[in-house]
Amino acid sequence: MEVQYRKEYSPALGRDMECKIYGHKGRPVLFIPCQDGRFFDFENFQMTDTWSPWLESGEVMVFSIDTIDQETWSDTAGDPYWRIRRYEQWLQYITDEMVPFMREMVNERNGWTGYPGIMVFGCSLGATHAANLYFRRPDLFDRLLALSGLYSAGYGFGFYTDEVVRRNSLVDFLGDMPKDDPRIALYNLKKAVICVGQGPWELPDSTRQLAQILAQKDIHAWVDFWGYDCSHDWYWWYKQVEYFVPYLLKND
């Protein structure tokens, strides 16, 4: 498996940001690590083994990036006004810096032109970030795999709220969306999988709330609740990747 390392200065964040790239060609996949995670977690937690069939066959290239959760969602003692705006800067780093880089690289490797859609994938708080990106920027992301996420910003920001928090609290962002919003038609041209277990350390309530909102707005997504044996752990995320990725990679 081809592996590359990249370190570049991010104007949006005012610091160097690191990433690793796995695979030699194929559809671009953005992996967002779990809470406080680093760019090497995709490899260190053996997610590379689970994705290896699609990496080795040239179906996907995975770009694994750094979080800044310790400055944003995890810093619950910090100023929430500043933290949520710092989070917006991280999202800008992804959309304005990583996405063009990913598109350029996969176009070169595959002999493509244009603007290929990107699958965004995360587990735990990484799923929260992935879902925020997918639903806020359907012009960039055309697939979502969100495993064991939380979809209310109350997890990181408590009772504090403002317009930026609501944009990043999926149950509020989609709950506020009019049923005739043009983004809904765009979502329904794409594929989203949102999965959570109901066993140890899982918190499925916000996924249930999100599922109700998606149904009310007629937004198509595969929301799946796994059993009471399914815990908040890598073992189960490997199984879920194996189960859902073939569906997400299939072009219907």
Side-chain angles (χ1 to χ4, degrees):
M1 180 190 306
E2 183 177 336
V3 182
Q4 298 181 59
Y5 167 78
R6 179 176 185 260
K7 182 176 182 179
E8 292 286 338
Y9 179 79
S10 165
L13 292 170
R15 67 158 75 157
D16 288 336
M17 293 294 286
E18 297 172 278
C19 75
K20 271 193 164 183
I21 304 132
Y22 303 88
H24 59 282
K25 68 174 186 176
R27 162 185 280 278
V29 178
L30 176 66
F31 173 70
I32 302 176
C34 298
Q35 188 165 5
D36 303 336
R38 297 296 313 278
F39 70 97
F40 42 72
D41 288 352
F42 186 80
E43 183 174 340
N44 285 12
F45 286 99
Q46 290 84 51
M47 191 58 83
T48 41
D49 296 343
T50 306
W51 281 81
S52 64
W54 304 294
L55 289 164
E56 297 286 4
S57 65
E59 292 180 76
V60 299
M61 294 182 71
V62 175
F63 296 73
S64 181
I65 62 171
D66 265 337
T67 71
I68 60 165
D69 294 333
Q70 291 181 347
E71 299 174 55
T72 58
W73 286 69
S74 297
D75 183 20
T76 54
D79 176 9
Y81 180 93
W82 182 88
R83 292 191 292 117
I84 194 63
R85 283 154 180 81
R86 183 62 170 165
Y87 179 64
E88 281 285 316
Q89 293 173 344
W90 180 72
L91 296 181
Q92 182 185 350
Y93 150 72
I94 292 171
T95 59
D96 295 1
E97 299 170 32
M98 279 302 302
V99 165
F101 165 70
M102 293 172 68
R103 284 175 160 174
E104 181 181 5
M105 187 168 187
V106 298
N107 279 347
E108 178 185 343
R109 289 301 187 92
N110 292 282
W112 297 344
T113 58
Y115 305 95
I118 295 170
M119 182 191 301
V120 58
F121 161 48
C123 310
S124 191
L125 193 61
T128 306
H129 303 325
N132 279 347
L133 286 162
Y134 174 84
F135 284 104
R136 286 186 55 185
R137 294 300 304 268
D139 55 321
L140 303 180
F141 301 98
D142 69 345
R143 298 288 189 273
L144 168 66
L145 181 56
L147 307 178
S148 302
L150 292 157
Y151 304 108
S152 168
Y155 174 77
F157 297 90
F159 294 108
Y160 176 82
T161 190
D162 62 24
E163 70 280 5
V164 186
V165 171
R166 289 187 73 84
R167 278 204 302 271
N168 293 292
S169 182
L170 200 54
V171 294
D172 297 308
F173 176 73
L174 292 178
D176 292 343
M177 186 175 285
K179 289 187 177 181
D180 61 352
D181 191 292
R183 286 171 292 191
I184 293 177
L186 199 53
Y187 298 147
N188 290 341
L189 295 173
K190 305 175 187 301
K191 288 184 175 182
V193 171
I194 300 161
C195 178
V196 67
Q198 298 176 84
W201 310 295
E202 290 279 57
L203 299 170
D205 286 352
S206 68
T207 303
R208 292 192 183 99
Q209 185 181 2
L210 178 59
Q212 293 175 349
I213 293 168
L214 292 170
Q216 291 165 2
K217 306 289 181 178
D218 195 27
I219 297 171
H220 304 164
W222 183 357
V223 184
D224 210 7
F225 295 89
W226 283 30
Y228 293 95
D229 58 336
C230 180
S231 61
H232 193 89
D233 203 338
W234 289 93
Y235 170 81
W236 287 99
W237 297 331
Y238 302 146
K239 288 181 173 293
Q240 290 162 359
V241 165
E242 291 171 351
Y243 185 72
F244 291 118
V245 166
Y247 162 76
L248 290 169
L249 291 181
K250 184 179 178 182
N251 291 317
D252 295 333

